[in-house]
Amino acid sequence: MTDLTRNEAVSRYRPKVRPGYVLMWTLLLIGGIVMITPLLFMFSTSLKPGSQVYDLRLIPQDPTFSNYIEVLTSSGFARWFFNSLLVATIVTCSNVFFDSLVGYTLAKFRFRGRRFIFLAILSTLMIPTEMLVIPWYLMSANFGWLDSYWGIMFPGMMTGFGTFLMRQFFEGVPDDFMEAARIDGMNEFVIWWRIAMPLVAPAISALAIFTFLGNWTAFFWPLIVTTSSELYTLPVGLSSFAVEAQIEWEMIMTGAALATIPTLLVFLIFQRYIVRGVMLAGVKG
């Protein structure tokens, strides 16, 4: 084979770069830079003293960890962190349990009013949270739940989105598995727990991650229902650094940086479950 023929063969099988791919990757790169820039400035500001907060240089001139030491020792950050972790964990477990149980019931049992109940649950997604705050507050006041952990948690213990997500996944589980388990003498609760739940693990993972992150960053309702700083969640506690006389941006950014680390770790560790769960939910929906 001559050099000319070899060169022709190489050029023939060499993958060609399409202009559309170049444009797509360029836009993705630009979008990634735009999204990560605020995070970089947040971490950068957390390393600056108060006198350099308004210095827009990404690399601090005199970096210091004194802000982190002050946040961790002089404020209630540890208590706020614990409150957010406790609330997010309990609400996540409640969502996984009740949403999957209701979703399984609506998907695998045939009874009168099943479709109406599902539509009623689904219609709650159309109601803005701001419209529910007053009923939630009145309920909390009447039952004595104000300024308590239960008052923070009860609005999110079960969600319409989680019920919809789990129902869509349970619809794809073959009924033959349940029939075989019934023949073996299993009751319905055991069938749901030991047979159906392992088959929808991607949906459970996605629901748990979305619920945890949503409650970890919740601000509006915890701000309304709590008055004691002992019960502040992390977002509410960080807002206390913005007092009327002075806004301590370096402290706010430091606390936000510390609060962001767990969410970043959760996303990095479980991102494949998030993507897989969302993709499968879209296919089944």
Side-chain angles (χ1 to χ4, degrees), residues 248-263:
E248 299 177 294
W249 288 113
E250 70 279 7
M251 304 300 292
I252 294 176
M253 292 301 168
T254 302
L258 291 172
T260 303
I261 293 175
T263 62

Side-chain angles (χ1 to χ4, degrees), residues 4-207:
L4 181 60
T5 307
R6 186 182 296 109
N7 292 335
E8 290 178 352
V10 171
S11 62
R12 180 180 301 177
Y13 292 102
R14 180 180 299 167
K16 296 181 179 179
V17 179
R18 297 182 181 180
Y21 289 162
V22 175
L23 178 61
M24 180 184 69
W25 286 108
T26 302
L27 292 177
L28 287 175
L29 178 61
I30 295 174
I33 294 174
V34 171
M35 294 181 65
I36 201 174
T37 298
L39 288 176
L40 295 177
F41 269 103
M42 178 183 67
F43 285 106
S44 174
T45 304
S46 68
L47 297 174
K48 297 177 181 178
S51 58
Q52 299 179 9
V53 167
Y54 296 101
D55 185 358
L56 298 182
R57 281 179 291 189
L58 190 59
I59 300 177
Q61 184 178 1
D62 300 313
T64 177
F65 287 96
S66 59
N67 296 331
Y68 286 90
I69 297 174
E70 185 174 354
V71 165
L72 293 173
T73 58
S74 302
S75 65
F77 183 87
R79 179 64 186 231
W80 304 336
F81 190 96
F82 169 78
N83 291 341
S84 290
L85 184 62
L86 178 67
V87 169
T89 301
I90 294 178
V91 173
T92 299
C93 293
S94 174
N95 269 261
V96 170
F97 181 83
F98 289 110
D99 291 351
S100 60
L101 188 60
V102 175
Y104 174 78
T105 303
L106 294 174
K108 294 304 178 183
F109 290 91
R110 301 295 181 264
F111 53 90
R112 184 177 299 178
R114 178 174 67 100
R115 185 176 296 275
F116 174 78
I117 294 174
F118 176 66
L119 292 177
I121 295 175
L122 200 60
S123 65
T124 60
L125 299 176
M126 306 176 189
I127 304 176
T129 303
E130 291 76 10
M131 294 183 61
L132 298 173
V133 167
I134 295 178
W136 288 346
Y137 187 86
L138 293 177
M139 184 184 299
S140 300
N142 291 332
F143 287 99
W145 295 343
L146 293 178
D147 204 27
S148 67
Y149 285 118
W150 178 248
I152 301 174
M153 294 185 294
F154 86 89
M157 299 296 282
M158 179 180 173
T159 62
F161 167 76
T163 303
F164 168 75
L165 179 67
M166 298 308 299
R167 176 189 179 272
Q168 296 303 103
F169 271 82
F170 281 124
E171 285 279 1
V173 176
D175 294 336
D176 296 341
F177 294 159
M178 287 67 180
E179 293 298 334
R182 293 187 184 101
I183 294 174
D184 290 340
M186 292 185 180
N187 60 50
E188 294 299 333
F189 186 85
V190 176
I191 293 173
W192 163 73
W193 181 256
R194 298 183 60 181
I195 304 298
M197 288 289 278
L199 296 175
V200 294
I204 296 174
S205 301
L207 176 62

